[in-house]
Amino acid sequence: MNRLADATSPYLLQHKDNPVHWWEWGPDAFEEARRRDVPVLLSVGYAACHWCHVMAHESFEDAATAAFMNDHFVNVKVDREERPDVDAVYMQATTAMTGQGGWPMTVVLNPDGEPFFAGTYFPDRPRHGQPAFTQVLQALADAWRDRRDEVSTVAADVRAHLAGTAGLTGEGDLGEEVLAGAVDTLSGDFDRRSAGFGAAPKFPPSMTLEFLLRHQARTGSVLAGEMVDATCHAMARGGMYDQVGGGFARYSVDRDWVVPHFEKMLYDNAQLLGLYARWWRQGGDPLGARVARETADFLLAELRTPEGGLASALDADSEGVEGRFYAWTPDQLVEVLGPDDGAWAAALLDVTPRGTFEHGTSTLQLRQDPDDPERWASVRSRLAQARAGRVRPARDDKVVAAWNGLAVVSLAEAGRLLDEPRYVDAAVETAELLLDVHLHDGRLRRVSRDGVAGRHAGVLEDYACVAHGFLALVSATGDGRWLRHAGVLLDAALDRFPAGDGGFHDTAEDAETLVARPRDPSDNASPSGQSALVHALLGYAALTGSGRHREAAEGALRTVRALAERVPRFAGWSLAAAEAALAGPLEVAVVGRADDPLRDELEAAARRAVSPGAVVVVGPPASAAGEGAGGADAVPLLEHRDLLDGHAAAYVCRGMVCDRPVGTVEELRELLAR
C-alpha cells in the first residue's frame, strides 16, 4: 500500500494517491527490503519541481509501471527540502556515477543503503537515446536477480568513494591574496555580454555577488563593482524577475536572463532581497531599493503562512503548464489594458507576436525604466489584477527553518535600511515561530507545517541560518533576548557538528547514521551549513566579544582555502565572511533616549556603513534607570555606553576596542569611512 497519506511534506502528499506503494524514508523500509530480498528504489524531489511532476504523471501514476515497481522494489519517496542529509549523500553518489545531478533523482540501493545505480529524470518511453523508465527498472531487477556479485561490487565501490570524499583538511587563511585572486578568477568566468557567470542555465549568484560587493567596499575594486552592477541589473531587468508581482524565479534557462524556470523559491528570494538592499546602500542605484521592496512585498504577500512563517516555494506550473500564470501575448495585454496601453506595454515589456517563451507567449522584461512612471504604475496594477484571476501555481507551504532564517536576516536589514518597519515586524513574527515551534530543548526541527513541527532533526544550515536571523534581530530591534537564543543555537552547533579539523559536518553527531556522514562546505543555491555558520559566529563575536566564536569562525574559513582558490563561485558566502573578518568586522553601538532625534540620525548613518559585515546595535544609555545595565539579555556591545554631553552618542569599535564616542552625524561618518 501507499504509506504517504500521513506525511507532513507537501511533496510526499502529492504522491499519496499514486499506485506505487511508496514508503517514507526510515528503517522500516529497509527492513522490508531485507525481508523481501529486493533493492530499494529511492526517488528524491521537491514540491515545486517541474520535472518531478512530469515523471510522476508519466511513470508513478501509470498502473503498469507502478505494478512492476511494487513487485521488484521497496519504493521510498524523499522530499529533499525536508531531508537535505539524505539528498546530499545520494546526490553525491549520483554525480559520482553519472557526472551530473538534479531532480527528480532516482537511486537504487541495497538494503544496507548502499547505492549501485543512479540517475535523474527518466522518460516513460525511449527518448534522445535515453532508455525508458520501465527498461531501466527491468534491467535493474535482472541485475539484482542474476548478477548480485556485480551489484555488490559497485555498491561497495560507491560507499568507499563516499567515505573517501567526506574529509577535508585546513589549508591556510583566506587572506588578502586569496580574496583578490578570487575576484580575478570570477572575472574570467564573467559573461561580459549578458552578465552573470558561465553559460546557460544561469542561476542567481547571490552569495558570490555579496562577496564582490564587500570586496569593492573594502578595497575600492572597480572590477568587483562592475560585475555586481551588471549582474544585478541583468537579473532584475529580465524575465527571471517577476515585473508584475515582484520576486525572482529559480533560474534563467538562457544566457540572456529572458526565460526563467518559473518556480519561485524562498531561499533565492530571501537572499536576493538582502543583496539588492545592500547594493542600493552601497551605490545608491534606485533599482536596488525598488527590487528589494518588491521582493519583500512578494514574500509577505505570497509566501507568508497564517502562523507567521514563510512557505518554501511556488510551483512552476499552473493548469499543468509551466509558466502559464506569468506569460503573456500581445492580444492578452490589449484585452486587459486597451489598445493604446496594451501596445505601449508590449513594447516596454518585450512581448512580441512570435513570443519569447512557448506557444507564442512572452515573459515580461523591463530592460529600461519607462519614460512615464505613472502610466507604468497603472499598467502594472491592472496586469496584477488581471493575473490574479488566473489559476495560481501551487504553494509548498512547509516552513523550512534555514530558509526562514535567511528571510529573517534580509527582512530585518531591509526594513531598517529602507525605513519599512513592517518588514522588521514580519521578521520578528517569523523568528517567534522558529523559536516557539522549531526549537525544543536547544534542538531545532527542520520543518513545520500548519504550526506543527515535523519529526526531522535540523541540520547545520538550520542552526546557522536561524542563529544568524536572531542576531539580525538584535541589530534591528535592540532586543537582547535574541542574542541569548542565538547563543544557544551556536553552542549546539559548536558542540554537535564539528569535524575535528576546524570544519563542520552537515549533520549532528547523534543524527541518523547514513551510508556516509554528509559534509559539504561549498555553496549551492543557498549557503552551505558551514559558510552560514561562519557568518553567525562572526556576528555573535562582534556583539559579545567572544573569542571562542571568533576562533571557530576563523578555523572553519581555513578549511575552505582550496575551494575558494579553485572554484570561488562555490565559495561565495565563505569569501564574504572572510571579507568581514578581514575588515574587523566593524561594530557600531548607538545609545540615546528613544525620544532623542539625534539617536535616529546616528542610527541611520551607522546603518549606511558599507564596511563588510558591519554590526550595528541601538539601545538606551547605561545611565538610564533599569535599562542597559546588564542582566541575562544585555547586549555586551551596548554595555557601559553612555550619553555624550547629555545627548545620543555613537561608539565605533573593532574587536570591542572602540574609538572615542561621537555625537554628530559628520563625526560618525568620518569614523565609518576609515
Side-chain angles (χ1 to χ4, degrees), residues 51-200:
W51 288 104
C52 299
H53 299 329
V54 173
M55 191 167 178
H57 295 322
E58 291 180 343
S59 298
F60 304 147
E61 295 172 7
D62 178 73
T65 303
F68 191 91
M69 293 173 66
N70 297 335
D71 288 345
H72 295 87
F73 302 89
V74 168
N75 303 290
V76 175
K77 251 307 170 190
V78 166
D79 182 341
R80 76 172 181 96
E81 297 170 352
E82 192 173 59
R83 290 300 304 263
D85 51 342
V86 173
D87 177 64
V89 168
Y90 293 106
M91 184 60 73
Q92 186 178 354
T94 300
T95 55
M97 297 170 79
T98 69
Q100 62 184 10
W103 300 276
M105 175 170 63
T106 306
V107 188
V108 183
L109 326 170
N110 66 20
D112 292 324
E114 299 169 336
F116 61 89
F117 174 84
T120 52
Y121 164 75
F122 290 99
D124 60 336
R125 59 182 60 88
R127 201 176 301 166
H128 307 301
Q130 189 176 16
F133 188 51
T134 51
Q135 293 175 312
V136 172
L137 295 177
Q138 183 67 64
L140 289 166
D142 291 347
W144 182 262
R145 184 187 65 235
D146 301 329
R147 301 190 303 279
R148 187 74 63 90
D149 289 345
E150 293 179 25
V151 168
S152 298
T153 298
V154 172
D157 289 346
V158 174
R159 180 168 193 148
H161 170 78
L162 294 175
T165 57
L168 297 171
T169 56
E171 299 188 36
D173 294 333
L174 266 65
E176 182 69 60
E177 182 180 349
V178 175
L179 298 174
V183 174
D184 289 339
T185 300
L186 290 169
S187 177
D189 291 337
F190 186 68
D191 182 347
R192 301 194 179 281
R193 188 193 83 184
S194 301
F197 299 93

Side-chain angles (χ1 to χ4, degrees), residues 157-512:
D157 289 346
V158 174
R159 180 168 193 148
H161 170 78
L162 294 175
T165 57
L168 297 171
T169 56
E171 299 188 36
D173 294 333
L174 266 65
E176 182 69 60
E177 182 180 349
V178 175
L179 298 174
V183 174
D184 289 339
T185 300
L186 290 169
S187 177
D189 291 337
F190 186 68
D191 182 347
R192 301 194 179 281
R193 188 193 83 184
S194 301
F197 299 93
K202 281 183 174 172
F203 290 80
S206 306
M207 292 156 281
T208 298
L209 294 178
E210 181 68 30
F211 157 59
L212 292 170
L213 193 66
R214 292 183 175 198
H215 189 78
Q216 179 196 27
R218 186 178 61 82
T219 68
S221 169
V222 173
L223 178 60
E226 288 175 345
M227 288 189 279
V228 174
D229 292 347
T231 305
C232 283
H233 271 278
M235 291 192 300
R237 296 292 190 186
M240 196 180 76
Y241 183 68
D242 184 351
Q243 307 296 343
V244 170
F248 291 84
R250 184 163 169 248
Y251 62 86
S252 172
V253 302
D254 62 285
R255 175 182 179 182
D256 298 321
W257 308 96
V258 175
V259 177
H261 189 37
F262 288 91
E263 58 197 32
K264 283 180 165 181
M265 313 302 294
L266 172 58
Y267 55 72
D268 285 323
N269 285 284
Q271 294 176 88
L272 288 162
L273 162 59
L275 172 69
Y276 274 87
R278 291 186 289 271
W279 177 53
W280 166 77
R281 174 185 65 183
Q282 190 153 313
D285 193 317
L287 178 65
R290 175 173 69 80
V291 170
R293 290 181 192 277
E294 292 173 0
T295 302
D297 291 343
F298 156 73
L299 289 180
L300 301 187
E302 300 288 338
L303 297 185
R304 196 87 173 272
T305 70
E307 299 76 28
L310 292 162
S312 296
L314 297 182
D315 208 329
D317 303 357
S318 55
E319 300 181 89
V321 179
E322 183 181 9
R324 172 168 285 185
F325 184 74
Y326 300 100
W328 297 81
T329 65
D331 288 345
Q332 289 172 330
L333 294 180
V334 169
E335 181 182 352
V336 171
L337 303 171
D340 291 343
D341 281 352
W344 182 80
L348 177 69
L349 299 168
D350 287 347
V351 178
T352 68
R354 182 178 180 181
T356 58
F357 179 44
E358 295 176 347
H359 313 299
T361 64
S362 295
T363 59
L364 302 186
Q365 304 171 68
L366 190 64
R367 294 297 180 179
Q368 58 186 13
D369 287 332
D371 54 10
D372 189 340
E374 292 184 2
R375 188 180 189 184
W376 165 237
S378 172
V379 164
R380 184 172 184 257
S381 176
R382 283 180 283 161
L383 290 177
Q385 185 176 3
R387 197 175 76 174
R390 296 178 174 181
V391 176
R392 303 185 66 81
R395 187 173 85 160
D396 180 343
D397 59 358
K398 71 177 180 295
V399 172
V400 176
W403 305 347
N404 276 255
L406 292 173
V408 169
V409 172
S410 291
L411 285 167
E413 291 186 358
R416 285 296 178 232
L417 283 174
L418 301 172
D419 194 23
E420 287 284 2
R422 61 193 179 92
Y423 298 162
V424 179
D425 293 343
V428 171
E429 188 175 359
T430 299
E432 295 282 8
L433 174 71
L434 294 170
L435 191 63
D436 295 341
V437 175
H438 287 251
L439 186 59
H440 299 270
D441 298 325
R443 293 172 180 251
L444 273 176
R445 301 285 182 87
R446 169 72 175 174
V447 301
S448 69
R449 190 166 183 241
D450 299 328
V452 179
R455 61 187 175 85
H456 301 298
V459 295
L460 182 62
E461 68 167 339
D462 296 307
Y463 284 82
C465 292
V466 173
H468 195 191
F470 289 172
L471 294 171
L473 290 181
V474 179
S475 174
T477 69
D479 187 345
R481 70 190 175 105
W482 296 113
L483 183 63
R484 172 165 49 87
H485 294 310
V488 169
L489 294 177
L490 293 176
D491 285 346
L494 293 177
D495 291 343
R496 299 174 54 225
F497 291 84
D501 59 2
F504 293 86
H505 290 288
D506 293 327
T507 55
E509 60 187 5
D510 56 353
E512 177 187 347

Side-chain angles (χ1 to χ4, degrees), residues 14-32:
Q14 289 175 354
H15 295 269
K16 68 182 178 61
D17 296 320
N18 292 168
V20 178
H21 294 171
W22 291 116
W23 295 65
E24 288 195 66
W25 177 274
D28 291 348
F30 288 91
E31 185 57 39
E32 177 68 4

